[in-house]
Amino acid sequence: MKVSIFDVAKKSGLSVVTVSRVLNGAETVREKNRQKVLDAIKELGYHPNAAARSLARGKTGIIGLIVTTLQDSFFDAVVKELNEVLALHGYYLAISVSTGIGSDESHYLIQEDRVDGLILLSPMEEDNYIVELKKRGIPYVLIDNQKPENDNFSVTIDNFKGGYAAASHLLDNGYTSIAHLCGQEMFRSTRERRDGFMQALSERGLAPFEIVNGDFEIRFGYETAVRWLKEGQLPQAVFAGDDNIALGVVNALMEAGVQVPSQVAVVGYDDQTISSQLHPYLTTVRQPADRIGIAAADMLLKRIDGTMKRGANLKIDPELIVRESSVPGRRA
């Protein structure tokens, strides 16, 4: 039997009007009542009639998402959260994997009347997208955008704080010779994580063992560690710009018989799924995908219904997750 809005109202103990207001993102509903409605929706498995609601609102009922790749567990987690939150509000999520605005997929999504709004996840060529979206009057939100000047209507991570936390953790555990393997310079996250790392070292009067730029890939970490081994010079610790780089470093060291972390400690970034599945379990800086997805969806829905007209940037703090790879003797 199909669940209706009346069933949700009965389950939550609230009126149909209140349930309707929650589904339409009205800010007049008390947070306590909003949560009751959302809990009832989840428990009953209620799915709003998107077609009917779209006709009533004069909308398509579709939100577009443009992402550069889905071969990334962090991106995948953000997309999952976005999909769940938007579905609760009667929207379908249309995903385009695209590296630039010129592609057929992304061009299709930003046509008038195709979508009610658009989310750009870690976009490249973001200036071009923004110009086109503004021209067409499509509400948008950026996640992990590259340029601070585009922070209006964006959700970002405090990558400076993440880099600072990773370096401080290693310093607090007695490591003074620390290398940093970071991503390409075009990425804002690369620059901010490195700045945080450098700030922590500077406060202790230390210089890095080495800073190397490369791709966010296992191969980059592996090849850099192999070079250190050939040169006979190893750092005491490594802060990698993402978990893939960190895993490459660990692989090269362990193949050479160098123990992690008793001889070289390693810290990654992102808390990818694999980080807690391979030994040694990887210490990393977690980006809270659930909070990012919820915040971006909420911001876009407010833009669509007109309750958010002035730009705003929401910066979310990352979290250091300490596991085996950075503290000798530690157990997960």
Side-chain angles (χ1 to χ4, degrees):
M1 183 176 177
K2 187 175 181 180
V3 179
S4 72
I5 191 172
F6 299 99
D7 298 316
V8 175
K10 183 178 180 180
K11 183 71 176 178
S12 65
L14 300 168
S15 68
V16 172
V17 172
T18 299
V19 174
S20 178
R21 285 174 178 166
V22 172
L23 291 172
N24 286 287
E27 293 187 327
T28 54
V29 182
R30 294 177 182 176
E31 180 59 29
K32 182 179 180 181
N33 289 341
R34 189 181 75 86
Q35 194 57 53
K36 284 182 179 179
V37 172
L38 294 177
D39 290 343
I41 287 171
K42 183 169 286 189
E43 187 172 339
L44 294 173
Y46 173 66
H47 297 286
N49 188 325
R53 294 180 68 212
S54 296
L55 286 172
R57 294 178 303 192
K59 303 288 185 179
T60 67
I62 299 172
I63 299 295
L65 171 69
I66 296 178
V67 61
T68 53
T69 179
L70 286 177
Q71 303 301 313
D72 182 299
S73 64
F74 166 67
F75 283 2
D76 184 60
V78 173
V79 173
K80 181 177 181 292
E81 197 66 40
L82 284 169
N83 188 56
E84 290 181 358
V85 174
L86 293 171
L88 287 176
H89 289 82
Y91 284 98
Y92 291 103
L93 188 64
I95 302 174
S96 170
V97 180
S98 172
T99 56
I101 195 169
S103 68
D104 292 339
E105 296 85 358
S106 63
H107 186 70
Y108 176 85
L109 284 181
I110 61 177
Q111 297 298 305
E112 292 97 337
D113 303 325
R114 301 285 192 189
V115 295
D116 295 335
L118 196 71
I119 297 172
L120 296 166
L121 176 51
S122 198
M124 305 303 295
E125 302 181 14
E126 64 191 59
D127 288 334
N128 294 335
Y129 279 115
I130 291 170
V131 168
E132 194 69 17
L133 291 167
K134 285 181 176 179
K135 184 171 72 175
R136 297 177 183 276
I138 300 174
Y140 66 87
V141 169
L142 307 176
I143 300 176
D144 188 32
N145 52 296
Q146 308 307 326
K147 297 183 177 181
E149 57 266 32
N150 293 328
D151 276 352
N152 282 342
F153 306 115
S154 70
V155 178
T156 57
I157 299 297
D158 195 332
N159 283 295
F160 179 93
K161 188 174 288 185
Y164 185 91
S168 296
H169 166 69
L170 291 169
L171 292 164
D172 290 344
N173 279 279
Y175 302 106
T176 56
S177 175
I178 309 173
H180 179 37
L181 306 188
C182 46
Q184 297 288 356
E185 200 67 18
M186 72 181 76
F187 296 109
R188 181 180 183 180
S189 60
T190 292
R191 303 188 298 272
E192 292 180 345
R193 292 170 194 177
R194 184 182 62 231
D195 289 347
F197 168 81
M198 291 298 296
Q199 178 65 33
L201 265 63
S202 177
E203 290 176 1
R204 310 285 180 104
L206 296 172
F209 172 86
E210 186 176 16
I211 293 180
V212 189
N213 288 83
D215 295 324
F216 289 118
E217 294 181 359
I218 291 175
R219 175 178 292 182
F220 167 50
Y222 182 88
E223 292 177 348
T224 302
V226 167
R227 174 172 62 79
W228 290 335
L229 289 162
K230 288 180 178 178
E231 293 171 352
Q233 294 287 333
L234 286 175
Q236 296 173 342
V238 178
F239 167 43
D242 84 338
D243 291 340
N244 288 323
I245 298 172
L247 291 172
V249 171
V250 171
N251 286 347
L253 293 175
M254 296 188 73
E255 281 182 7
V258 177
Q259 296 300 308
V260 177
S262 58
Q263 291 176 272
V264 178
V266 180
V267 174
Y269 207 105
D270 284 342
D271 195 26
Q272 298 266 2
T273 303
I274 198 171
S275 302
S276 59
Q277 296 180 343
L278 295 178
H279 287 284
Y281 296 138
L282 184 65
T283 293
T284 187
V285 180
R286 175 182 294 160
Q287 303 192 77
D290 53 347
R291 291 178 58 200
I292 294 168
I294 290 170
D298 182 62
M299 186 179 291
L300 184 61
L301 291 170
K302 287 178 179 176
R303 290 205 69 188
I304 290 171
D305 65 25
T307 57
M308 177 181 280
K309 296 181 180 179
R310 299 185 63 182
N313 168 243
L314 179 61
K315 184 170 285 190
I316 296 177
D317 288 344
E319 177 187 4
L320 180 69
I321 306 298
V322 180
R323 299 194 181 105
E324 295 175 337
S325 69
S326 64
V327 183
R330 185 174 181 101
R331 293 293 178 266

